[in-house]
Amino acid sequence: MKVSASTNLFLRPLKWLRKIRGFRLVYTPLIAIVIFTAVMGIILGTLHLQEKNQQEAALFRELSFAKQRIQSRFASNLDALTTINREVSASEDQVKFKQIAREQADDLVVNNHEIVKIIWLNNQAQREWAAPNETGKSDWITKTQNDQPVNTGLASTIELSRVTGRAAFSPFISLNLPGDEPINAERKIVFWQVVPNIVSGEIVGYLAALYTTQGILDVIPGELKSYYRFTLITDNEKVLAISSDKGTPKRAFSNQTSLDIGVLSPNITLRIDTYPPPTNLTFRMLIGVVLGLSIFVIWSLWSVLKQMQVRQEAEASLRTETTFRNAMENSTPVGIRAHDMEKRITYVNRAFCEMTGWTSEELMGLTPPFPFWPDSRRDELVDKMNRALQSSISGSMKIGIEGAILKRDGTLIQTRTFIAPLINEKGKQTGWVTSLIDISEPKKIREELAASQERFTTVLESLDAAVSVVSLETDELLFANRFYRENFGNDSKGHFQLAHQDKEIDTLHNIAQDLQDYIRDGIPTSFLYQESESEEVQLTDGSNKWFEVRRRFIPWVDGHLAQLLVATDITARKEADDLALQQQERMQFTSRLTTMGEMASSLAHELNQPLSAISNYCNGVAKRLEGNVDPAITKEILPALAKASEQAHRAGTIIQRIRGFVKRSEPQRKAACVSEIINDAVGLVEIEAHRHRLTINSEIAENLPVVNLDPVLILQVVVNLLKNALDSVREAYPLSSRWSAPPVKITADLDTSIFPAMLRIQVIDGGGGIPENVLEHMFEPFFSTKSDGMGMGLNICRSIIESHHGRLWATNVQDSEQTKLVGCTFTILLPLESPGTKANT
């Protein structure tokens, strides 16, 4: 009984499968469930792998962030210790500044939890002071009998810093701290960082900071430590500090990286461990799979019933379609015949019978060669048919084959035959279907047109000019010769670009509509088809080619209007014209420079004599007045005469220097004080400034070095820049409001932002600034914005500065909102040592 029961349970599914084996549509739900289950498994595995990759990426990102925070904190601490060193070394005898340095050290200890003590030692490694102050209660190192390892580590670190001359770190020091206080746990492992205080190449002391490894982890934000566990370990896997004692599960992810806290630092590795968050993704996905499978099964069964209903409707439609197709085949002028796999004719329509003159009964069952083929071409047509049938099997029969039919009355008809395979409802080929069309008359016309087109195309393709025709209605390129295709491609963009009509397509459409209206109304339009005048067009696509363009409107073969354009490349001719123009401009520029040099030499020769006479007369009058005039008058007159003689001599020197500069001679360098040059320049320009109700302020840094330069030429540059600044302020502020005009400022200091340092002179005005188009050309010769200017002032100034191996430039100053210009700054940079001096040294 037990055997029969188990046998029935096993046979029931088999009987059910035999019943549905003939109904293949029922297999669809079963196959769909299997496929869907496999897909869901792949999706679950992919999601799990993606979740794991995301957690590892987040872990690496947080580890990098923590590493950056720690390394940045050590770099910031090193900068702070270096700053305290500078405060101490720069104020050896000033108690106030030493107190400031100690306060800075106290602030550093208070604000940085990883630093517990800072000690200042002299060059003999003797302690001077400590932060915070050491007392009996606060000196926890000595109190816990750990002073020997701590002091030994400090001494070795000081020796390493003294030998290398750089900041150094000590090895890790483990302390024995009794008690369970939290502060003792944080200070179990410490290490020293010693920063030498180097002044003039000698070590004058050391600044030592005591770090705790547990305090280093406090640099990491607390929210990160709540999600991850951070651990500091050494090379031998010794734990230095840990952010949490909580254990990690087996599925935790870990990563680690080395910390670079300094050049002479011990090796430290930062490790991070994560706690994977609980997720119910798998459970939810399983529920989704079950629901999806259930819905899919229901939909599959419903689709089976729906398909059965559709099948019945399709059978009725097929009968109607068959009747309609028979009527359509009998009414079409295209001849249709069908062949079986042995190439026998199995069907012909009425048009094919009329085309051959044979009845359908006579044609049925015939095999190649057919009697309606011409006798002279039977072998050729048999070969073509065989090859066409093979092509139809591969699906490449699209253009058909040309053939011929000889009617019973002897008329020869040229035909084109298209062949397609005949497939039954099981997808198996049962034969072929061929359709024939009469192409006798179209073939004759096509041959004539092809010959004419070939002659026309040969002429246009050989032209060295771009010929294109574009429809005015669709903007389509109707024709383009070889030259056009090689230069502009196969679209109409090049046509409109040559016609300068990129934005005038609507205008062309309007012209086309007007011409069509004229043609419809019978108005003569021959004048509109006339060729336009030629014009020169430059392409804007970056090639900078030039074309001579001619265009006209023409009627196209379809009756619509088109535009014909012929463009000849004239780039070589334009380039030759431009080159000739540039050569002419260079000749004019050279001529002006030569004339200016000659004028400078003539002026120097003509002005030297009267200036020498003025100087001699002043000296003679001064000698005549000495001892012969009232002492009070002599005291006032003689200095004025001396200054007049000195200024006449200086004017002569300036003229000689400018003359030498025009001749490209080197400046006459000598040791000069920049402050004296600036004061002399301000004194010369102040008279003009006061006349226009303006002021000049000078700010000269103290202890500026003596510079080897030509004082006369540099004085001339500074005077010229001050005058330009006064003119800018005078133009920006009318006479009635100059009481509120900012003063023109001239400053002199050392620019230490570059190496080697250079002397910097700046002239700053509060005028209206310089426009950008003027700023680009203001230092060019003969460029001036003044109606009476020659345009050589700033060019000569820059040349003088560059002859001193310096730099001169101008920058605009904008207001705080960066909306408008409120002034301009001219900057001069001069080397502290001339190239000749460096070469001698």
Side-chain angles (χ1 to χ4, degrees):
M1 293 297 295
K2 293 181 180 181
V3 174
S4 61
S6 59
T7 303
N8 290 333
L9 292 175
F10 179 75
L11 292 177
R12 285 177 183 176
L14 294 178
K15 293 179 179 179
W16 180 74
L17 288 175
R18 291 192 188 98
K19 290 180 180 180
I20 66 174
R21 184 174 56 185
F23 195 34
R24 296 185 179 180
L25 291 177
V26 181
Y27 290 147
T28 302
L30 300 178
I31 298 174
I33 292 175
V34 174
I35 295 175
F36 192 80
T37 303
V39 171
M40 288 298 105
I42 295 173
I43 292 175
L44 286 175
T46 304
L47 290 176
H48 178 71
L49 181 60
Q50 183 179 6
E51 181 183 6
K52 180 180 178 181
N53 292 337
Q54 290 177 352
Q55 290 181 357
E56 290 178 351
L59 187 69
F60 177 78
R61 183 171 60 252
E62 302 299 348
L63 178 62
S64 300
F65 174 76
K67 175 183 177 180
Q68 183 181 7
R69 287 289 298 268
I70 294 174
Q71 293 182 164
S72 298
R73 176 61 67 85
F74 271 91
S76 175
N77 291 345
L78 180 59
D79 292 340
L81 295 175
T82 305
T83 302
I84 295 173
N85 268 340
R86 285 199 298 267
E87 293 288 342
V88 174
S89 61
S91 56
E92 294 180 356
D93 299 328
Q94 299 181 22
V95 177
K96 178 181 178 180
F97 290 113
K98 285 187 176 181
Q99 183 61 29
I100 292 175
R102 295 191 62 177
E103 291 176 357
Q104 291 178 352
D106 288 333
D107 293 339
L108 186 61
V109 174
V110 172
N111 297 327
N112 295 272
H113 192 257
E114 69 274 9
I115 299 177
V116 296
K117 178 180 289 189
I118 296 177
I119 301 174
W120 166 253
L121 304 97
N122 57 19
N123 56 355
Q124 302 298 326
Q126 297 176 353
R127 298 190 182 186
E128 295 287 342
W129 51 265
N133 292 328
E134 294 182 347
T135 61
K137 295 182 179 181
S138 63
D139 191 5
W140 51 274
I141 295 177
T142 305
K143 182 179 179 181
T144 55
Q145 304 303 321
N146 290 293
D147 53 344
Q148 181 176 358
V150 172
N151 293 332
T152 301
L154 177 59
S156 62
T157 309
I158 292 174
E159 179 63 19
L160 179 60
S161 178
R162 183 189 65 80
V163 172
T164 59
R166 308 175 71 171
F169 291 82
S170 70
F172 298 106
I173 305 170
S174 299
L175 303 180
N176 184 14
L177 299 177
D180 297 329
E181 297 180 2
I183 190 172
N184 292 339
E186 294 179 358
R187 298 178 177 179
K188 285 187 177 181
I189 300 177
V190 297
F191 63 96
W192 288 100
Q193 182 184 15
V194 175
V195 181
N197 191 354
I198 301 174
V199 178
S200 299
E202 296 183 358
I203 298 177
V204 300
Y206 305 90
L207 194 64
L210 184 63
Y211 284 85
T212 65
T213 56
Q214 190 67 34
I216 295 175
L217 294 181
D218 292 339
V219 177
I220 303 173
E223 59 181 4
L224 285 182
K225 293 191 290 186
S226 64
Y227 291 100
Y228 305 95
R229 185 180 72 177
F230 294 88
T231 308
L232 291 177
I233 59 178
T234 60
D235 291 340
N236 55 2
E237 299 296 328
K238 179 182 178 181
V239 177
L240 300 176
I242 190 168
S243 62
S244 174
D245 294 334
K246 182 180 178 181
T248 57
K250 295 181 179 180
R251 293 194 305 116
F253 296 99
S254 299
N255 202 342
Q256 64 184 24
T257 182
S258 60
L259 292 178
D260 183 11
I261 62 175
V263 178
L264 301 176
S265 63
N267 295 329
I268 307 178
T269 301
L270 177 64
R271 185 172 67 192
I272 184 173
D273 300 301
T274 184
Y275 299 92
T279 177
N280 56 356
L281 179 62
T282 304
F283 177 75
R284 293 181 179 180
M285 290 299 296
L286 290 176
I287 293 177
V289 169
V290 173
L291 293 177
L293 287 174
S294 300
I295 295 173
F296 189 79
V297 170
I298 295 173
W299 176 83
S300 299
L301 294 177
W302 176 83
S303 64
V304 170
L305 297 176
K306 192 70 175 178
Q307 287 178 2
M308 293 176 63
Q309 181 180 1
V310 170
R311 182 173 181 178
Q312 295 177 354
E313 295 175 356
E315 291 176 353
S317 300
L318 181 60
R319 289 189 292 270
T320 305
E321 183 69 21
T322 303
T323 304
F324 173 77
R325 182 169 296 180
N326 291 332
M328 182 180 63
E329 291 176 354
N330 292 327
S331 64
T332 182
V334 178
I336 299 175
R337 72 172 185 262
H339 300 264
D340 59 12
M341 297 302 294
E342 285 76 24
K343 303 177 185 179
R344 289 190 299 267
I345 297 177
T346 59
Y347 170 80
V348 291
N349 68 340
R350 183 183 302 172
F352 186 81
C353 294
E354 295 175 353
M355 190 177 297
T356 59
W358 294 61
T359 63
S360 59
E361 290 78 9
E362 294 173 334
L363 294 174
M364 298 296 289
L366 295 179
T367 58
F370 299 115
F372 48 81
W373 284 350
D375 295 338
S376 60
R377 300 183 60 183
R378 286 191 177 184
D379 296 338
E380 174 192 352
L381 294 177
V382 169
D383 182 64
K384 283 186 176 182
M385 182 175 182
N386 293 332
R387 285 189 284 108
L389 294 179
Q390 294 296 326
S391 300
S392 66
I393 294 175
S394 60
S396 60
M397 186 62 184
K398 295 181 180 180
I399 61 174
I401 57 174
E402 291 189 6
I405 290 179
L406 184 63
K407 297 182 66 174
R408 272 192 170 183
D409 59 2
T411 305
L412 185 64
I413 301 175
Q414 299 293 333
T415 62
R416 182 175 296 276
T417 304
F418 298 89
I419 301 177
L422 183 61
I423 309 298
N424 62 6
E425 71 279 2
K426 299 180 180 180
K428 184 178 180 181
Q429 182 178 358
T430 59
W432 293 270
V433 175
T434 63
S435 58
L436 292 82
I437 56 176
D438 188 355
I439 61 170
S440 300
E441 191 65 24
K443 184 177 181 181
K444 180 179 179 181
I445 297 174
R446 185 168 60 253
E447 290 174 352
E448 294 177 355
L449 289 176
S452 176
Q453 176 72 15
E454 184 177 358
R455 292 191 298 269
F456 175 74
T457 304
T458 302
V459 174
L460 292 181
E461 290 291 332
S462 62
L463 292 178
D464 289 333
V467 180
S468 59
V469 180
V470 171
S471 172
L472 297 183
E473 294 187 353
T474 63
D475 302 332
E476 179 185 0
L477 183 65
L478 302 176
F479 174 79
N481 68 339
R482 173 189 55 81
F483 190 90
Y484 180 92
R485 294 193 301 272
E486 291 177 353
N487 290 273
F488 303 101
N490 296 320
D491 53 28
S492 60
K493 293 181 180 179
H495 179 99
F496 290 112
Q497 189 177 8
L498 289 170
H500 274 309
Q501 293 168 341
D502 296 328
K503 300 181 180 179
E504 300 178 6
I505 297 178
D506 294 338
T507 304
L508 288 178
H509 293 172
N510 295 333
I511 294 174
Q513 184 63 39
D514 293 340
L515 290 176
Q516 294 289 357
D517 295 340
Y518 292 158
I519 294 172
R520 184 178 63 253
D521 297 337
I523 300 175
T525 58
S526 57
F527 67 94
L528 292 175
Y529 297 145
Q530 295 178 358
E531 182 177 344
S532 64
E533 295 183 0
S534 62
E535 59 179 341
E536 295 181 352
V537 178
Q538 183 182 19
L539 298 183
T540 58
D541 56 356
S543 62
N544 293 326
K545 287 187 176 181
W546 284 87
F547 287 88
E548 184 179 7
V549 180
R550 293 181 177 86
R551 57 190 178 184
R552 63 177 298 179
F553 296 107
I554 61 173
W556 195 240
V557 293
D558 58 357
H560 295 90
L561 287 175
Q563 187 182 52
L564 169 66
L565 184 143
V566 180
T568 305
D569 191 352
I570 58 172
T571 305
R573 189 182 75 190
K574 295 294 292 185
E575 291 177 352
D577 295 342
D578 293 342
L579 182 60
L581 181 60
Q582 292 175 8
Q583 293 293 343
Q584 184 178 2
E585 291 178 353
R586 291 193 186 100
M587 292 176 63
Q588 294 176 0
F589 177 72
T590 304
S591 177
R592 293 175 69 185
L593 288 180
T594 304
T595 303
M596 184 177 177
E598 295 174 354
M599 292 174 59
S601 299
S602 300
L603 287 174
H605 178 71
E606 294 296 332
L607 294 177
N608 275 335
Q609 292 182 357
L611 289 174
S612 299
I614 292 172
S615 179
N616 293 333
Y617 286 144
C618 290
N619 291 331
V621 172
K623 290 182 179 179
R624 294 288 299 273
L625 290 177
E626 289 179 357
N628 297 326
V629 186
D630 184 13
I633 298 177
T634 304
K635 184 178 180 181
E636 297 178 358
I637 295 178
L638 290 180
L641 291 174
K643 289 184 178 180
S645 176
E646 180 184 354
Q647 293 301 323
H649 178 71
R650 175 173 293 182
T653 305
I654 291 173
I655 292 174
Q656 291 297 330
R657 298 293 172 79
I658 293 178
R659 182 181 180 184
F661 175 74
V662 173
K663 293 181 178 180
R664 296 183 180 271
S665 61
E666 288 295 324
Q668 298 180 9
R669 300 176 181 269
K670 66 178 182 179
C673 183
V674 178
S675 60
E676 294 180 1
I677 296 175
I678 293 177
N679 291 332
D680 290 344
V682 173
L684 291 175
V685 183
E686 251 182 347
I687 298 175
E688 182 180 356
H690 293 162
R691 183 164 59 86
H692 294 292
R693 299 182 184 178
L694 299 173
T695 58
I696 301 175
N697 292 344
S698 59
E699 297 179 2
I700 304 175
E702 297 180 356
N703 300 325
L704 288 178
V706 176
V707 184
N708 188 21
L709 47 78
D710 190 326
V712 177
L713 292 181
I714 298 301
L715 174 64
Q716 192 68 18
V717 172
V718 175
V719 169
N720 195 358
L721 295 181
L722 287 174
K723 287 184 178 181
N724 288 343
L726 291 174
D727 292 341
S728 179
V729 177
R730 184 161 53 87
E731 293 175 0
Y733 291 87
L735 185 61
S736 59
S737 62
R738 285 184 188 164
W739 59 271
S740 62
V744 175
K745 182 189 294 185
I746 179 170
T747 64
D749 58 1
L750 291 179
D751 187 358
T752 58
S753 62
I754 58 178
F755 182 82
M758 302 181 73
L759 176 65
R760 177 172 57 191
I761 302 174
Q762 289 185 319
V763 178
I764 307 169
D765 65 75
I770 303 174
E772 292 296 331
N773 57 344
V774 177
L775 197 63
E776 297 176 357
H777 306 283
M778 61 188 301
F779 290 102
E780 297 178 359
F782 305 112
F783 180 84
S784 177
T785 59
K786 302 178 182 178
S787 59
D788 57 346
M790 292 183 60
M792 291 300 298
L794 288 177
N795 179 262
I796 292 176
C797 290
R798 172 174 276 187
S799 300
I800 290 173
I801 297 302
E802 290 178 352
S803 68
H804 285 76
H805 302 281
R807 293 172 56 201
L808 170 62
W809 73 91
T811 54
N812 283 319
V813 180
Q814 293 186 339
D815 59 355
S816 58
E817 298 179 356
Q818 302 293 321
T819 57
K820 66 177 182 177
L821 301 179
V822 294
C824 181
T825 300
F826 282 84
T827 304
I828 300 173
L829 288 182
L830 293 172
L832 298 180
E833 295 182 2
S834 62
T837 304
K838 294 180 180 179
N840 294 332
T841 57

